[in-house]
Structures are given as structure tokens and as C-alpha cells.
Amino acid sequence: MAALTSRRRLPRLGKASPIRPRYLPTLLVLPAFVVLLAITIFPLLFTATLTVLSWELTTNAPARFVALGNFATVLFEDSRFWNAMRNTAVLVVVGVGLQVILGTGLALLVNRVRRGRTLIVSLLLIPVMIAPVVAGFQFRMIYNDQSGPLNYLIGLLTGGLWHGTAWLADPSVALISILLADVWQWTPFMILIVLAGLQAIPEEIHEAALVDGATPRQQATHITLPLIVPVIVIGILVRMMDTFKLFDIVYQLTAGGPGSTTETIAYYTYLQGFKYFSLGYTAAMAFIQLAVITIVARVFLGYQKRTQNRGSL
Amino acid sequence: MSGVRRVVPGALIMIALLFFLFPVVWMVLTSFKTQTEYFANPPLFLPHSFDLKNYVNALAFPPDGRGGLQGLRDSLIIAIGSTAASVVIGSLAAYGFARFRTGGENLSFWVLSTRMFPPVASALPLFLLFRQIHLLDTHMALIIANTVFNLPFVIWLMKGFFEDLPMDLEEAALIDGCSHFGALRRIVLPLVTPGLVATGLFSFIFSWNEFMFALLLTRNEVRTLTVIVPSLVGGHEILWGEVAAVGTIAIIPGIVLATVLQRYLVRGLTLGAVKS
């Protein structure tokens, strides 16, 4: 079904080509360029100017120039910001880690299925295609401590010794509950792309190894693993970037609570901007997030460039 | 031994299927339950009957006065509008990048990098801009926001599809006197149609599932299904059955398209970084 990226180098109409049109290349790209420029560069510049202002829409006080004051406050005085950063880091490291481990394991299993694989993959992929807010709603029902199926199941399995807890209201587990909902939604994504990596390994390599007397274990560690690692890395990078922006599920499940125990950085920024209307402060936080995500994005883009230039991962 | 080897993987896959499908199945079943059924303790798995009362209530008589049908309409208008816009603008640009390397590698990678932009960082400036030009709470606001966020995706995916086509056909058409635009319309577009459809369906789903911009840029006049679901959960009395009905309606396009799009999912979900 799948083949790992193998892009033939295509002859392109170079500058010298007599059939290269003069204006068409620019005209084709222009509309997209203008739209993206207007809607990304404008917010960027606007946000940049906001960062140096103290501008509270909730009061009638005029905007005040504070230079780098907003950044200083965010980074050195706002423990709620660091709390949100830590929560986000837990979701990125532990959550994405779980998705990778579970996803790779399940992909290896599904890869061995001979009949009905398409159906299994289709069914496994349903969580990925669901709106995160709806996924959040599903878990609201499942985690419900009165009539939810999770606590009922726990009661059954422990023979009535433990009846679970209030998964979303208990500060010690609320973040884990969010993490599990996210793992539920995105593990299938990892299954899917690891599976694509596995199926791109040509059968002949395994046959050749078999002829040379390689044991199954040797085949796994010397053939399968090295060949799927690049795909897994791409999966990790995509998931890291998305998890860093995690908002919908938090909004739906806990609204950052209890207290601020489950606030992610995206959710806290939303609160500052759209509940407290601290424009300058929000802009400063937005810029810090931009800086963090740029680092991950650069690695991802580097991978993409390598794919582009070498013809394969 | 070999029996165990064969049974264990199968059993694990079954457990995985159960785990990944249960929350969805539970919501769909809840959408048919009456109030006493969904508050039952111990929880009731199957509803007594599969009547559509919750669906009728949620669609025709939304608990908060606005919802259901309006949400369905708004979600459709926005998803179709932004899909059309991003596919048209995006494919043209993708063709330029694929065939003429417009702007070189840097421009196309700049386009891709705009996709990584955290939405929450651009939400505030967009909000203030749209307020200034009176676009808040309109379909157009969300069509624009979603188009911008889908454009890099469409461009990169379509760029890959165009690059997969051999150049020979276009060159033959050009030599036979076809214009560049004619070659694009008569030769390239028909060949790239499956990719175009897949890309379009992806952007449809992304817009359909989008929540943050819908929450921040619209309020009363326009309310997508993704905004309605949490708004119904927030109140003191949660109408689980009705919300589950809205949720079930909201996930139908995704499930249908997951099946239709299976061949393209890997490519789509990794922005073309991994191809199938």
C-alpha cells in the first residue's frame, strides 16, 4: 500500500528553457503569497508592537510603553505561566512518548495481519478524524464519576474495592485524564505512519537477510528498526508541534481547572487575551510560544528539505 | 507455541480496537438514551429503543435557543467556503512551485512554516482586525481564518501530487501548440484530480473540526457545531442525550472521509513528509 517517499528528480523548466513562460510562475503563486503575507505577517508585526505595551482593555487606561517589561513579567514573575509550560511539557513528553510506544507496537502487530487489515486501519483511524472538542465531550461522559462507564468498570475489576475518582475534578489526576484523552485521539496517527514506514520496506531485504541466516531478532534490530526510525521522527515532530498548541480538549474537559492545574500554554494565553484582555501581555506570551515552536519547526523543515533533495528519507 | 503466537497478536488488536472505538460508540449510544437511561447507575450500555427524540430536540428545538440546524448550516458554509478558496488559490501556487520553482526553495519553505504558527498567537490580532472591519461573527471571518491555515497544507500536498506527474505530457502539449494555461487545464488537472479531491476533503475536515477560531471570532449570528457542543456542556444542567446527538452529527463527515481517504491519510497528516 505504501512506499516511503521516493521522489524522482524531475526535469524542471529552467530559466534558460525557451518554453518557460515569463509571468505565469509569479502569477500562479501571487494570490497565495499575498493572502499568507497579509494574515501572517500582519499579526506578527502587530503582535510585535503590542509586546512592548501595557494595554488592558478591561480598564479605560490608555496603552503604556513598558519596553521589555511584559517579557520580564512573563518569564520571571508569572508562576502561572511556568505552571502552564510545565503542564504542556508533560503532555508533550509523556503524552507523545506514550503515543509513539503504543503506536509503534500496534503498527508492528497490525502489519502482521494478513486479512482485514484495511478494515482494522479504517476503524483505528476514527479518533484522528473526530473534532477534538467532540473527543473531549466523549471523555467527559466516560470520566463522569456518577454515571460514567470508567468508574463502573474500575469498580467491577477491583471487586468493589475502589470506585475510581472524579477524574476531572481531582487535582492530582486531572492532567493525566487530559493526557489520556489526547493519547486516545492521536495514537492511531502514529500507528498509521509507522505502518506506512513498515510497508515501504521491500520484501527482498528480509528475504536476503533470511538467506544470510539472520535471526528474527537480528532482522528486527538491524533492518526493521533503522528503516522506520525516520518515519517515527517525523511523527514525533508533527505531534510535538500539535501538542504544544493543545487547546480544544482542555477547554472541553477541565477549562484549565481545578484551579489552574491543567492549564496548557495555549489555554493560558487564551485566558490572558480573551478573558482578561491584557493585550500586551498576551502578545509577549504569543511571541515566546512562537520562539519555542520555531525550534521544533526548524527540525521538521530540515527533514522535509532532506526528503526533497535526496529523494528519500 | 505457534497457537499462542497467533492468538496473542489478534487478541491485542481486538483490545486496541475496543479501546479506540469505545468512546465513540458510547457517545453514539448515549445519543439514543433517555434522561433516566444516561443517568442510570450502574451505567446502561444499550438504550431501550433507538428513537430519534434527542436528534429532533437538538436540531429543531435547541436547548439554548440556537443550535442544531443552525450549527450544521454554519459548519457546512464555512467548511465548503474555505475548502473552495484554499484549494483554488493553493493548487495554483503549488503548480507554480512544482513546475517553475517560483521563488526558489526558500519561498515554498516559508509557506510551509506558516503552518506551524500557533493559532492562539494569531487569534488576538485577527480578532482586533476583524473587529475593525466589522467581520466578527460572520461566516466570512471563519472562511478567511480557515483558508489561511489550510493554504500551506494544500500547497504542500498539491505540490507533491504535481511533482508525481511526469513532465513529458505537458511538454508534448506545449510542443503541439498548447498554451501553458491550456496544458494545465487540459492535461494536468484531469490527471491530478484524485489528489485534488483528497486535498479538498482534508481541508474540509480541518475546517469542519476547527474550534478555536470559531470560539473567538464568532458569537451569536454564526455558531459552528464545534462551538455548540461545549456550549451545551458548560451549563449547570447537561443534556447529555442532546449533546451526544450533536456530537454524533459532527463526527459523521470525519468517519466517512477516513474510509474514503485511507490511501492519502499518511501523506495528508504529515504535510507530505511521508508518502504512501
Side-chain angles (χ1 to χ4, degrees):
Chain A
M1 167 184 120
L4 203 66
T5 307
S6 69
R7 192 174 300 213
R8 275 188 307 134
R9 298 300 297 150
L10 291 164
R12 284 195 172 79
L13 299 173
K15 281 223 157 53
S17 165
I19 50 170
R20 182 186 164 90
R22 268 182 87 181
Y23 302 112
L24 188 68
T26 317
L27 284 179
L28 286 169
V29 175
L30 202 61
F33 182 72
V34 170
V35 172
L36 283 174
L37 200 69
I39 304 279
T40 57
I41 299 296
F42 157 74
L44 201 66
L45 292 177
F46 188 76
T47 313
T49 48
L50 279 181
T51 56
V52 295
L53 299 176
S54 169
W55 189 359
E56 309 291 321
L57 276 193
T58 44
T59 65
N60 277 327
R64 196 158 50 81
F65 178 75
V66 292
L68 295 178
N70 283 321
F71 285 104
T73 316
V74 173
L75 292 174
F76 302 118
E77 285 167 38
D78 192 348
S79 62
R80 209 168 153 187
F81 167 80
W82 286 109
N83 167 62
M85 276 300 220
R86 205 187 50 236
N87 288 341
T88 309
V90 169
L91 292 167
V92 168
V93 176
V94 182
V96 176
L98 273 175
Q99 292 162 33
V100 172
I101 294 167
L102 285 174
T104 309
L106 283 167
L108 289 167
L109 286 176
V110 174
N111 193 41
R112 285 166 39 180
V113 174
R114 290 272 164 265
R115 280 196 357 230
R117 185 161 62 201
T118 316
L119 178 68
I120 293 173
V121 174
S122 290
L123 290 174
L124 283 176
L125 275 171
I126 288 175
V128 176
M129 304 302 273
I130 287 180
V133 260
V134 178
F137 169 68
Q138 292 171 358
F139 277 88
R140 271 281 289 243
M141 291 192 286
I142 287 177
Y143 287 143
N144 190 295
D145 54 330
Q146 300 300 319
S147 52
L150 180 61
N151 279 357
Y152 174 71
L153 191 71
I154 290 174
L156 271 189
L157 290 178
T158 59
L161 284 176
W162 188 47
H163 288 283
T165 176
W167 296 100
L168 300 172
D170 182 342
S172 58
V173 291
L175 188 64
I176 311 278
S177 304
I178 287 185
L179 189 144
L180 285 179
D182 201 46
V183 167
W184 173 83
Q185 182 156 35
W186 294 106
T187 297
F189 165 77
M190 287 304 300
I191 300 179
L192 180 75
I193 77 160
V194 176
L195 208 52
L198 284 171
Q199 291 174 346
I201 302 174
E203 199 66 29
E204 298 89 65
I205 300 187
H206 281 292
E207 280 163 12
L210 207 62
V211 172
D212 291 344
T215 63
R217 179 183 292 258
Q218 283 172 325
Q219 286 192 37
T221 53
H222 289 93
I223 299 175
T224 313
L225 203 61
L227 286 173
I228 57 171
V229 162
V231 188
I232 295 179
V233 170
I234 287 190
I236 292 175
L237 293 170
V238 171
R239 288 304 313 138
M240 279 174 79
M241 286 190 283
D242 280 351
T243 313
F244 190 70
K245 306 172 197 162
L246 193 75
F247 175 81
D248 302 12
I249 282 197
V250 179
Y251 183 94
Q252 173 71 86
L253 278 179
T254 61
S260 49
T261 45
T262 57
E263 271 172 15
T264 57
I265 190 63
Y267 193 79
Y268 182 48
T269 311
Y270 151 79
L271 287 182
Q272 283 293 350
F274 289 89
K275 291 284 171 216
Y276 315 144
F277 286 102
S278 307
L279 303 192
Y281 202 73
T282 308
M285 285 207 296
F287 249 79
I288 294 169
Q289 284 164 74
L290 206 57
V292 174
I293 211 146
T294 304
I295 298 169
V296 187
R298 285 195 79 91
V299 182
F300 177 81
L301 293 174
Y303 252 85
Q304 280 260 18
K305 266 189 186 158
R306 246 166 66 192
T307 314
Q308 184 98 338
N309 295 335
R310 275 211 330 226
S312 70
L313 281 171
Chain B
M1 191 59 203
S2 73
V4 174
R5 278 233 175 117
R6 210 171 309 154
V7 170
V8 170
L12 287 175
I13 290 174
M14 287 311 283
I15 293 171
L17 278 173
L18 206 65
F19 174 72
F20 288 112
L21 292 181
F22 182 78
V24 183
V25 173
W26 188 259
M27 179 177 74
V28 175
L29 288 175
T30 304
S31 73
F32 295 106
K33 288 177 188 169
T34 64
Q35 194 159 8
T36 32
E37 283 171 334
Y38 57 71
F39 281 137
N41 197 356
L44 200 65
F45 188 69
L46 283 175
H48 183 66
S49 73
F50 283 88
D51 75 335
L52 296 170
K53 211 173 113 265
N54 289 329
Y55 286 84
V56 174
N57 279 345
L59 288 176
F61 312 105
D64 65 339
R66 288 171 174 280
L69 277 181
Q70 192 209 8
L72 196 58
R73 189 199 65 191
D74 290 344
S75 283
L76 272 175
I77 293 175
I78 290 157
I80 292 174
S82 68
T83 301
S86 52
V87 165
V88 170
I89 303 174
S91 331
L92 289 176
Y95 188 68
F97 285 136
R99 283 296 185 255
F100 308 114
R101 316 200 80 181
T102 315
E105 203 180 47
N106 286 336
L107 189 62
S108 59
F109 274 97
W110 173 74
V111 166
L112 184 61
S113 72
T114 60
R115 171 80 182 186
M116 324 291 175
F117 218 80
V120 78
S122 46
L124 189 64
L126 273 186
F127 177 83
L128 297 171
L129 172 72
F130 285 166
R131 194 177 62 163
Q132 208 67 21
I133 55 178
H134 303 290
L135 270 185
L136 282 186
D137 212 5
T138 62
H139 293 123
M140 195 44 96
L142 287 184
I143 291 179
I144 293 174
N146 283 325
T147 301
V148 172
F149 267 78
N150 282 340
L151 252 186
F153 169 81
V154 170
I155 292 175
W156 267 77
L157 216 57
M158 284 311 297
K159 179 170 166 281
F161 284 121
F162 284 130
E163 282 168 349
D164 287 349
L165 286 184
M167 289 253 346
D168 318 14
L169 293 168
E170 283 156 87
E171 279 168 353
L174 289 174
I175 288 164
D176 287 348
C178 206
S179 69
H180 272 279
F181 195 71
L184 174 61
R185 200 167 58 91
R186 297 214 182 99
I187 313 286
V188 179
L189 277 185
L191 286 172
V192 89
T193 302
L196 203 63
V197 171
T199 309
L201 292 176
F202 268 114
S203 18
F204 180 88
I205 280 297
F206 290 151
S207 308
W208 181 269
N209 287 349
E210 201 282 324
F211 171 64
M212 186 194 277
F213 286 130
L215 175 75
L216 301 179
L217 303 179
T218 59
R219 190 132 304 153
N220 301 313
E221 293 303 312
V222 176
R223 292 184 58 187
T224 63
L225 287 175
T226 50
V227 169
I228 290 174
V229 169
S231 77
L232 293 180
V233 177
H236 44 271
E237 192 201 3
I238 301 175
L239 300 159
W240 294 103
E242 276 88 346
V243 190
V246 178
T248 303
I249 295 170
I251 65 172
I252 290 172
I255 292 177
V256 172
L257 294 186
T259 326
V260 180
L261 284 176
Q262 205 185 36
R263 272 187 62 209
Y264 299 105
L265 274 176
V266 177
R267 210 170 176 167
L269 293 171
T270 59
L271 285 162
V274 182
K275 281 190 183 172
S276 48

